[in-house]
Amino acid sequence: MALRVQLTDQQSAAREEYEAFAREHVAPKAGAWDRDEELPEDFFTTIGAAGYLGAAVPATYGGGSLDAICFGLLNEEIGRACSSVRSLLTVHGMASRAVARWGSAAQREHWLPRLATGAAIGAFALTEPGAGSDVKGLATEARRTADGFVLDGAKRWITFGRRADVYLLFARLDGRETAFLVERTSPGLQVTPVPGILGTRASMLAELELRACQVPAEALLGRPGFGLSAVAADALELGRYSVAWGCVGLSQACLDSSLDYAGEREQFGVPLRDHQLVQRMLADMATGTSAARLLCQQAGWLRDAADPQAVHATWLAKYYSSTTAFRSATDAVQVHGAHGCGAEYPVQRYLRDAKVMEIIEGSTELQQTTIAHTAYHSRRAAAFRPAADRRATGPAERTMTV
Ligand SMILES: Cc1cc2nc3c(=O)[nH]c(=O)nc-3n(C[C@H](O)[C@H](O)[C@H](O)COP(=O)(O)OP(=O)(O)OC[C@H]3O[C@@H](n4cnc5c(N)ncnc54)[C@H](O)[C@@H]3O)c2cc1C
């Protein structure tokens, strides 16, 4: 069985649909949304009506139940047009998936049809003032009451926190890491916008303050103690996958813009694209984008096959795609010269957005240490296997041995 890089007819048709949606409804407005630092309310209706907010919701609850490749293509095409909108797909998808995977029947019935249409927007609230990369530093406390829980603590940098109706939020219950579904209207929850963020400026970031915040007993999601190891880990896995594909789109956008500009702009009597040092930048963008897309496809293929190596493949994809997007964006600004620094071209936005991609969903350094750690242990495990077993027998073995 060969590694499939060819999309099925259905996946190709889906890609065309996503690309057309992004071209019509997202790309022309992305610059203005970035300046306004928000998405307009009617856009939530538009993207909800297209069905894209239901990508991670099972079909039985009104969602699109997209396969991993289609979900990736959606993130690529939206990410090519606007990283803030792709961020919406990411965090809303993370919250949706958590409810679908860990929710009780009642929680699924209540939330999933709303999340599928965008009638409710979901967000992911894990980071705290003292808990960033090290999520074990989680300090938000939950206490049981007669009819539910009371939460005390703070959450930082919550994407679409300003707009969300429900937060997938993590706290300690009796010292154990636990997931909750906290409604925005919960008494004791204060939502404060975070203006002036470097990139994904339209992703409506907020801080959450929970002061004796009351939530009902039904807010508990999954079992106490499984909040980080199961609920957050699984949601972050999807988030990382979504960001990785979004970075492919972002890198492609850098290439598209640079090719157009280098073809139009002349210096020293020839178009920029005829200068070999400019060609080097275009070549690196084209190669990096293709390689990132292949790593994302590999991760998607393994996810669809429910292969446990999908986790590691997603780390590889996110690490490579985000660093590639940043390099492509830096080169894209360089190719555009002064115009690359101005507001007329989108590449300055791409550069700001790309820097954020190296920080969210596991920073570049966390990806590097995790990938190196896994590679080391794979190598050690291989050394202890009998020689006959060490022969690669299929694409997963060949592609995942690092
Ligand atoms: C635009 C944006 C949107 C976000 N959206 C959300 C959201 O929706 N929900 C949410 O919960 N959070 C969100 N975050 C927070 C994000 O997840 C954190 O920023 C991220 O986890 C890193 O944590 P930190 O910023 O506290 O950095 P720190 O953990 O303090 O790290 C700072 C630096 O030290 C490095 N470092 C840390 N530990 C190590 C190590 N062991 N080895 C090597 N280097 C290390 C990091 O790589 C980084 O370069 C968002 C952040 C941004 C910027």
Side-chain angles (χ1 to χ4, degrees), residues 180-377:
F180 293 89
L181 293 170
V182 176
E183 294 198 43
R184 181 200 181 77
T185 52
S186 304
L189 172 62
Q190 190 184 320
V191 178
T192 308
V194 177
I197 193 82
L198 172 73
T200 59
R201 290 198 122 183
S203 62
M204 303 176 78
L205 256 63
E207 297 181 355
L208 312 182
E209 296 293 329
L210 302 119
R211 293 202 189 99
C213 173
Q214 298 160 41
V215 297
E218 308 82 73
L220 179 70
L221 183 76
R223 286 162 52 192
F226 286 78
L228 293 187
S229 60
V231 183
D234 183 63
L236 284 164
E237 173 67 12
L238 181 74
R240 212 167 280 131
Y241 181 73
S242 162
V243 169
W245 276 99
C247 288
V248 174
L250 182 52
S251 189
Q252 182 69 52
C254 294
L255 176 61
D256 296 341
S257 192
S258 300
L259 287 171
D260 290 347
Y261 188 81
E264 289 158 13
R265 169 85 171 164
E266 289 194 2
Q267 287 294 283
F268 299 96
V270 293
L272 293 178
R273 68 158 181 245
D274 288 348
H275 295 297
Q276 288 182 338
L277 290 175
V278 172
Q279 288 171 0
R280 195 281 297 161
M281 291 190 271
L282 299 175
D284 284 356
M285 279 184 233
T287 309
T289 307
S290 277
R293 187 177 289 117
L294 284 170
L295 282 173
C296 286
Q297 285 174 338
Q298 172 177 261
W301 175 58
L302 291 168
R303 279 178 79 85
D304 277 335
D307 190 311
Q309 296 199 73
V311 176
H312 185 62
T314 302
W315 282 99
L316 297 182
K318 197 275 175 175
Y319 170 50
Y320 191 79
S321 299
S322 57
T323 49
T324 295
F326 186 67
R327 266 197 312 276
S328 296
T330 310
D331 280 348
V333 171
Q334 193 71 16
V335 168
H336 286 69
H339 284 117
C341 304
E344 190 190 346
Y345 289 88
V347 290
Q348 46 80 24
R349 168 165 56 89
Y350 299 159
L351 180 57
R352 290 185 284 103
D353 290 347
K355 187 65 239 175
V356 169
M357 301 308 129
E358 289 202 293
I359 293 168
I360 57 170
E361 310 295 339
S363 66
T364 293
E365 291 72 27
L366 268 282
Q367 315 278 334
Q368 287 167 332
T369 53
T370 303
I371 290 167
H373 185 79
T374 308
Y376 174 71
H377 286 286

Side-chain angles (χ1 to χ4, degrees), residues 12-240:
S12 295
R15 176 198 273 283
E16 280 172 30
E17 179 198 311
Y18 306 148
E19 201 260 333
F21 177 89
R23 194 170 357 100
E24 180 178 350
H25 296 290
V26 183
K29 299 164 191 164
W33 294 340
D34 182 69
R35 279 191 296 281
D36 296 346
E37 298 196 17
E38 64 181 11
L39 299 182
E41 201 48 41
D42 63 356
F43 181 73
F44 290 95
T45 310
T46 304
I47 193 165
Y52 299 155
L53 294 177
V57 175
T60 39
Y61 293 97
S65 199
L66 296 188
D67 67 35
I69 294 292
C70 279
F71 182 69
L73 296 172
L74 174 62
N75 281 274
E76 179 184 344
E77 291 303 337
I78 298 292
R80 188 174 173 186
C82 176
S83 291
S84 293
V85 177
R86 198 271 313 133
S87 295
L88 173 64
L89 294 178
T90 304
V91 297
H92 184 81
M94 291 164 79
S96 303
R97 179 175 169 91
V99 177
R101 177 118 194 235
W102 310 102
S104 64
Q107 284 170 324
R108 288 190 211 147
E109 292 289 342
H110 180 77
W111 285 114
L112 291 179
R114 291 171 172 77
L115 291 165
T117 58
I121 296 296
F124 179 84
L126 175 58
T127 304
E128 299 185 359
S133 303
D134 181 9
V135 293
K136 289 274 181 189
L138 181 72
T140 296
E141 290 275 359
R143 278 182 296 111
R144 287 177 209 276
T145 60
D147 50 0
F149 302 90
V150 166
L151 306 179
D152 280 285
K155 297 290 172 182
R156 293 287 181 266
W157 314 111
I158 306 309
T159 297
F160 287 97
R162 262 169 70 189
R163 176 57 182 76
D165 300 288
V166 61
Y167 304 93
L168 172 61
L169 187 142
F170 299 86
R172 290 191 180 278
L173 178 65
D174 304 324
R176 295 186 295 170
E177 298 135 356
T178 303
F180 293 89
L181 293 170
V182 176
E183 294 198 43
R184 181 200 181 77
T185 52
S186 304
L189 172 62
Q190 190 184 320
V191 178
T192 308
V194 177
I197 193 82
L198 172 73
T200 59
R201 290 198 122 183
S203 62
M204 303 176 78
L205 256 63
E207 297 181 355
L208 312 182
E209 296 293 329
L210 302 119
R211 293 202 189 99
C213 173
Q214 298 160 41
V215 297
E218 308 82 73
L220 179 70
L221 183 76
R223 286 162 52 192
F226 286 78
L228 293 187
S229 60
V231 183
D234 183 63
L236 284 164
E237 173 67 12
L238 181 74
R240 212 167 280 131

